[in-house]
Amino acid sequence: VRAPYRKRQLMVCTNIRPENANRPSCGAQGGVELRERLKAAIKAAGKKGEVMVVGTSCLGHCPAQGCTIGIHPENEWKIMDISPNEEAELLAYLLRD
C-alpha cells in the first residue's frame, strides 16, 4: 500500500505515565490537547494532505514541563511549553511552503 504524500509529519508525545512514575509524562502536561489543536488547525488551513500530526508514546526526552515534538523530514526536535505564542510559531513553520 502506498502511503499518501506528506510534506511534513509532526510527532507529538502523548505518553501518559502513572502518577507515581519517576519521570514526567508529556501527555499529562498538555501533549494530548496540543496534538488535537494542531490537527484541527492544519485541517482548517486546508493542509491536511500535506502535514500529518500523530501522537506517539515516549520519544525519549521527558521535560519537566510541556512536551516533546519531532518534525520530519527536517529531523528537528523541540520541547514545547505549550504556550499560545509557541504554538502559533509552530503552526506557521509547519504550514510554510
Side-chain angles (χ1 to χ4, degrees), residues 11-23:
M11 300 178 299
V12 179
C13 179
T14 56
N15 190 44
I16 298 179
R17 291 190 171 88
E19 287 185 30
N20 61 349
N22 60 357
R23 295 193 308 179

Side-chain angles (χ1 to χ4, degrees), residues 2-10 39 42 47-54 72-74 94:
R2 187 171 162 223
Y5 174 75
R6 302 283 200 278
K7 286 184 180 179
R8 290 184 183 84
Q9 179 178 351
L10 178 70
K39 283 182 72 162
I42 287 166
K47 300 288 187 172
K48 186 177 175 183
E50 295 178 29
V51 180
M52 182 168 55
V53 179
V54 297
H72 289 275
E74 290 91 342
L94 293 172

